[in-house]
Amino acid sequence: MTSVLDLAPVVPVVVLDDAADAVPLARALVAGGLPAIEVTLRTPAALDAIRAIADGVPEAVVGAGTVVSAAGVGRAAAAGARFLVSPGWTAGLLDAMTASGLPFLPGVATASEVVALLERGIGEMKFFPAEAAGGTAYLRSLAGPLPAARFCPTGGISLASAPDYLALPNVGCVGGTWMLPPDAVAARDWARVEALAREAAGLGLGPR
């Protein structure tokens, strides 16, 4: 894998309280056409969920999200994560993610943060929180002066707004949770998750 941004038009952002749900959920997402799965390190079950998906769903590309420390990088890599995503970055966190050898998307919300990453040779990043930080208008304004930067916007994006982001030249994919309604996950309604994933995957078939 050379780029997280090119795996699928939408990266599901998964928060799991029960690692037993990880494999059937991942299978539903993959069946729907979304192989890149970001499991956030926000719950005690997250690392076990990553490990379960890595072992049980080889066709999935499972990554770790909400990576905010060097220790988190190490734990995610040991669990089998194949990419890393952070909501923001520091020099120490960047060093740890680089040393892991895994592809990673450090989070940015300002032009200065983008320039700082480009200075370090990092051209792919997460734009977060996308809607709160200026949405498509802000990303469009970055494309002219900073054409080397490519983004995965995440935060407040929906099925309705995702196409507007994906139409931008500096957006490779978007992150979202709308294909994982809490009631569907709680009910283990994996057929519904698969159907919503397929709808999201279809967003990548339009003109870019």
Side-chain angles (χ1 to χ4, degrees), residues 9-10 32-34 196-205:
V10 179
L34 300 181
L196 291 170
R198 184 170 292 106
E199 185 178 35
L203 296 176
L205 302 178

Side-chain angles (χ1 to χ4, degrees), residues 12 14-30 37-39 43-54 56-57 60 62 179-191 193-194:
V14 177
V15 181
L16 280 174
D17 294 310
D18 187 348
D21 292 334
V23 166
L25 182 146
R27 286 176 176 158
L29 292 172
V30 170
I37 301 169
E38 175 189 336
V39 177
T43 68
L47 290 172
D48 286 338
I50 291 171
R51 190 174 294 109
I53 294 171
V57 194
V62 63
M179 73 297 300
L180 298 163
D183 60 333
V185 176
R188 295 178 170 84
D189 187 350
W190 309 128
V193 170
E194 180 180 339

Side-chain angles (χ1 to χ4, degrees), residues 65-160:
T66 321
V67 178
V68 295
S69 67
V73 170
R75 287 192 289 266
R82 294 175 59 185
F83 64 90
L84 307 169
V85 184
S86 68
W89 62 273
T90 65
L93 181 57
L94 283 182
D95 289 343
M97 290 194 291
T98 301
S100 75
L102 298 173
F104 60 90
L105 297 174
V108 298
T110 69
S112 294
E113 291 169 330
V114 175
V115 171
L117 288 177
L118 292 174
E119 275 189 350
R120 293 183 60 133
I122 299 168
E124 298 187 346
M125 48 202 84
K126 170 180 177 173
F127 180 57
F128 177 83
E131 287 288 282
T136 56
Y138 193 88
L139 284 172
R140 189 178 295 109
S141 71
L142 293 180
L146 300 170
R150 294 180 71 217
F151 302 95
C152 174
T154 305
I157 297 175
S158 66
L159 177 65

